[in-house]
Structures are given as C-alpha cells and as structure tokens.
Amino acid sequence: QAFTDQRIDAVIHTACCYGRNGESICEIVESNLIFGLKLLDACIKYSVDTFCNTDTLLNRSLNDYALSKKQLTEWLKQKSDQVQVINLKLEHMYGPKDDATKFVSWLLSQLRQGAAEIKLTSGEQLRDFIYIDDVVSAYMTVLAKVDELDRYNEFEVGKGTSIPVKSFIQTLKKSYEDKFGVSVTFLHFGAVSYREGEVMDFRVDNAGLMNLGWNPVYSLEKGLKLIIEDIKQ
C-alpha cells in the first residue's frame, strides 16, 4: 500500500534480524533475505529509482546473519539493471536507545546493574566504532548524490580508524564513571574465548564516501558521552 498511495523515489532498507534471541534459520532468512526481496520486487514493480540497502562487513561464512545479508546483496546486484542499488556496508555502529542485545547496550546494562564482573574476550580485535549520527549522514550523502552514481554501488561506512575493542570498553566505562561515579564492576578481559572465525583486524575503506563529500564528525569520547547523557535523562 505504501507504494500505491504515493510515488516513492527511494527505499532505505535497514531492518534485520541478528539471530541473537534464538531465532530459527527460517526466521533469520525471512527477515534478512525474503523481506528484502519483497521490497526489491515492489521497487521494480512501481519503478522506484533507488534501493538503499544496509549490509555488513562481516564475512558471509561467520554466521547465519552474515550469510543471509550477503545473499540479499547478490540479488540486488543481479537486479540493479532494473533499480539503482546503493549498498552500505556498516562497521560497528553505536548510539542512544539501541537494541538491548547489542554490544554497547549490554555493556551499559551490566554497569548500571552493578554487576560484579563482565566476562570479555582479550579485546585485541580491532574495530571501527562509528556513532549513529555519522551513519545517518552517510545515508543522506549517498541519497543526495544518486544522479552521480552507477547502477550498483558499494560503500564501506566507518570512521576509517580502528581501535582495540578493549580500548573502546575501557573508554566506555570511564565515560560512565565520569557521570555516575566509580563503578564496582570488574572488566574481566580474557575470560571468554574468541568466537570461531573472529576477524581480528577490521579496516574500513571509506574513501568512496569521502569522495562524495561525507565526513564523520563524532569522536569516540563525544559519542559515548551522548549515550551516557541519554541514560541519565
């Protein structure tokens, strides 16, 4: 009905299922592949100009989520002769009011509950943490430049600088303590083994986005401060 009620120029597809709540393979595929294909069908049927998709930088073999996301990307590439595709591959996004199962939200919930310890990996894996407002501005940038883009386009979304997960967590805890006082929670690095297939070094190539005029503006400290302030409010 959304497509029949008005002329739609672009679809921005951000819905997904991570499979963190015990969802079956079918449920994950229904969310990450089938629903995306239904949107793609509608875009083609109603002559939508641009399909802006949210992808992951994870390797397709890592888990069911990554595989299902990559399968949709293959379909989008194949049908890009019928609708322009912009595929945005996100690194680790964080921000206020995120899903409770996400990494940062879970860490903050443990700190707020005064957990005795948080069991973590050694935290040596490198990640490019990017604040949600910078991600939104990436979407807005590519949508403003659709006339300059090809039929199928891929952009990696990240600040272009990777830091150890351990450093990120320590900075998060410090930001929390600056607002709420000293935390009794012990960060137990090394208590958890790395997952099978863990990527230890994520490097985001954001040159394509930068060439379009995009530029991330939120430092890690500023982004985490905004999350902590949101919690206090």
Side-chain angles (χ1 to χ4, degrees), residues 124-231:
E124 297 169 343
Q125 62 272 54
L126 299 177
R127 294 292 182 268
D128 189 328
F129 294 93
I130 182 166
Y131 188 68
I132 186 170
D133 286 18
D134 282 333
V135 175
V136 172
S137 70
Y139 281 82
M140 300 305 293
T141 297
V142 296
L143 287 171
K145 301 284 188 175
V146 290
D147 292 339
E148 303 174 22
L149 299 178
D150 297 327
R151 297 300 299 172
Y152 182 84
N153 311 266
E154 284 195 346
F155 296 99
E156 296 186 7
V157 185
K159 295 176 65 178
T161 54
S162 299
I163 63 171
V165 169
K166 184 175 183 178
S167 297
F168 176 86
I169 297 172
Q170 290 171 329
T171 305
L172 172 65
K173 186 181 181 187
K174 182 180 184 304
S175 297
Y176 181 87
E177 291 179 328
D178 287 346
K179 183 66 69 172
F180 295 105
V182 176
S183 169
V184 298
T185 301
F186 172 62
L187 301 177
H188 192 171
F189 292 103
V192 178
S193 300
Y194 292 119
R195 60 185 173 179
E196 185 177 349
E198 182 76 67
V199 178
M200 296 303 295
D201 189 356
F202 258 123
R203 300 284 179 175
V204 175
D205 181 3
N206 60 13
L209 277 174
M210 300 284 279
N211 289 337
L212 292 180
W214 176 78
N215 190 46
V217 298
Y218 287 84
S219 66
L220 179 60
E221 290 75 16
K222 182 178 180 181
L224 291 177
K225 182 180 179 180
L226 289 170
I227 293 178
I228 303 302
E229 289 177 350
D230 182 73
I231 289 175

Side-chain angles (χ1 to χ4, degrees), residues 1-11 42-51 82-84 146-147 151:
Q1 185 177 343
F3 290 88
T4 58
D5 285 352
Q6 67 268 297
R7 157 69 179 162
I8 293 179
D9 301 299
V11 165
C43 287
I44 293 172
K45 180 178 179 180
Y46 293 99
S47 301
V48 172
D49 298 320
T50 305
F51 188 110
Q82 298 179 64
V83 58
Q84 182 188 43
V146 290
D147 292 339
R151 297 300 299 172

